[in-house]
Amino acid sequence: MTDRKLKIVFFGTPEFAVASLDRLVKSGHEVAAVVTMPDKIAGRGHKLIQSDVKKYAVENGLQVLQPEKLKSLEFVDTLRAINADLFVVIAFRMLPEVVWGMPPMGTFNLHASLLPKYRGAAPINWAVINGDTETGVTTFFLKHEIDTGDIIEQRKIEILPSDNVGDVHDKLMSLGAEMVAHTVDEIAKGNVIPQPQPEGEYAPAPKIFKDTCRIDWHKPSVGIHNLVRGLSPYPAAWTTMEESRTPGEFTDVKIYETRIAEDAPQRFGEPGDVSLTKDRLFVNTEDGILEILSLQPAGKKRMEASAFLRGYNPLRFK
């Protein structure tokens, strides 16, 4: 098959998908339409909030489709009328077969892990939470079971000890955009030979809920430190704080940055108990001590520990 320019429909919603959409628009292939989530009402003013993908599409004059139901006859008929060669899906809802089975060259997804590891909604978070030292991106053709289709291409990056999930997200967003553009080019050239995913390497990456983010100070320091990294800057790990001014009462605090404190004072009390210096905040864990470097008390802005300690005198975290 000769190299040719493809007509593409792009499916995506968050910022992570925008970089890939931009690369496709600039690649010379035709992005005939963009499918994204319906606008949401949010905030005190009940304003309509557009997805990052929609904002980009509107700014660049692309056709935007925002179906409430992906199986609706109106939406399916609209897609068919576009007569696209290929669908590209990044960070979108699960597609029904009537949609993903439509284009003659198939539908592929960009997934932010090295499949089959971390199938699910939050692969970047779980890679950092679990203390992995590498991750990557995968393009694969969709089939019935989520994140199980045949692999087209994979690329890896190192997860540095200093990286939080925001850092890894941005690295994968850039790497993924490059690989999406390359995958489309290779499909256009007829060079793609998809490979089944290996068996036995599956690891789950379920959606992150509030309970997932709560710190258990009875766990080892490394695990807590990685949990904080894997949830920072969003949605952020959290704990509750008892303060000297209100003993017996606990308020929520988000924790954004920690350090395993090898230079800390000797262990003191129980897990969650704190030790303070003028501008440093240490917390007992199951097997050691963590230093909290930045945090956000409920109703306040994020701040460094030194600034926090000018206004608060925590007794313990729970």
Side-chain angles (χ1 to χ4, degrees):
M1 181 178 177
T2 59
D3 184 7
R4 65 186 179 92
K5 299 305 178 185
L6 302 184
K7 181 185 281 190
I8 297 167
V9 175
F10 184 92
F11 296 73
T13 295
E15 178 192 11
F16 187 82
V18 173
S20 293
L21 175 57
D22 183 59
R23 284 295 294 266
L24 290 178
V25 168
K26 294 173 180 176
S27 70
H29 296 285
E30 179 189 353
V31 179
V34 171
V35 184
T36 191
M37 293 284 282
D39 298 346
K40 292 183 177 180
I41 297 175
R44 294 179 180 177
H46 298 285
K47 295 180 180 179
L48 280 176
I49 305 299
Q50 299 178 344
S51 74
D52 291 321
V53 164
K54 180 179 178 179
K55 291 175 185 175
Y56 176 91
V58 170
E59 290 170 1
N60 288 274
L62 302 175
Q63 180 184 1
V64 177
L65 304 175
Q66 295 179 274
E68 291 282 352
K69 296 181 179 179
L70 296 173
K71 290 184 179 180
S72 73
L73 290 177
E74 180 183 3
F75 173 61
V76 171
D77 287 346
T78 300
L79 280 183
R80 282 205 182 98
I82 293 170
N83 197 29
D85 300 300
L86 180 72
F87 291 171
V88 178
V89 184
I90 304 175
F92 193 67
R93 290 147 40 185
M94 187 173 178
L95 296 182
E97 185 174 1
V98 68
V99 173
W100 62 256
M102 187 182 300
M105 290 187 169
T107 298
F108 80 80
N109 177 257
L110 173 72
H111 187 73
S113 81
L114 298 171
L115 288 173
K117 196 169 187 181
Y118 297 123
R119 292 173 179 161
I124 308 176
N125 298 92
W126 287 106
V128 181
I129 290 170
N130 289 337
D132 291 0
T133 56
E134 73 171 16
T135 187
V137 283
T138 303
T139 50
F140 68 97
F141 283 115
L142 293 191
K143 67 176 192 178
H144 288 286
E145 297 80 11
I146 190 167
D147 295 340
T148 61
D150 291 350
I151 292 171
I152 305 168
E153 187 175 356
Q154 290 187 321
R155 297 185 187 180
K156 296 180 180 181
I157 63 161
E158 182 182 4
I159 301 177
L160 301 175
S162 58
D163 284 340
N164 64 24
V165 73
D167 300 322
V168 179
H169 169 280
D170 291 350
K171 292 178 186 179
L172 292 181
M173 181 171 62
S174 177
L175 182 65
E178 294 176 11
M179 196 171 73
V180 164
H182 184 259
T183 296
V184 171
D185 287 342
E186 292 301 291
I187 290 173
K189 295 173 183 175
N191 290 342
V192 167
I193 304 175
Q195 300 295 319
Q197 293 189 27
E199 297 292 333
E201 298 180 25
Y202 167 72
K207 187 175 180 180
I208 301 291
F209 294 99
K210 185 175 182 181
D211 283 349
T212 314
C213 304
R214 182 159 192 170
I215 296 171
D216 181 354
W217 297 103
H218 290 81
K219 291 192 173 181
S221 296
V222 170
I224 298 171
H225 175 65
N226 288 338
L227 178 73
V228 171
R229 292 171 59 221
L231 297 169
S232 180
Y234 181 83
W238 65 280
T239 185
T240 58
M241 174 184 69
E242 182 182 16
E243 218 224 333
S244 61
R245 291 176 296 188
T246 54
E249 297 182 14
F250 286 84
T251 57
D252 290 355
V253 180
K254 291 182 177 180
I255 309 294
Y256 289 98
E257 190 178 3
T258 58
R259 184 178 69 86
I260 297 173
E262 296 175 353
D263 63 338
Q266 291 185 341
R267 293 190 77 228
F268 40 86
E270 299 298 320
D273 288 348
V274 304
S275 177
L276 309 175
T277 68
K278 180 180 178 181
D279 56 2
R280 298 176 74 182
L281 170 57
F282 301 96
V283 189
N284 255 355
T285 68
E286 186 268 338
D287 66 346
I289 298 172
L290 274 185
E291 181 176 5
I292 296 179
L293 302 179
S294 65
L295 64 168
Q296 181 179 4
K300 304 293 184 180
K301 293 182 179 180
R302 175 176 173 173
M303 61 187 79
E304 301 298 314
S306 55
F308 169 81
L309 292 173
R310 288 196 287 270
Y312 294 89
N313 183 29
L315 297 174
R316 63 181 174 127
F317 294 106
K318 182 178 178 182

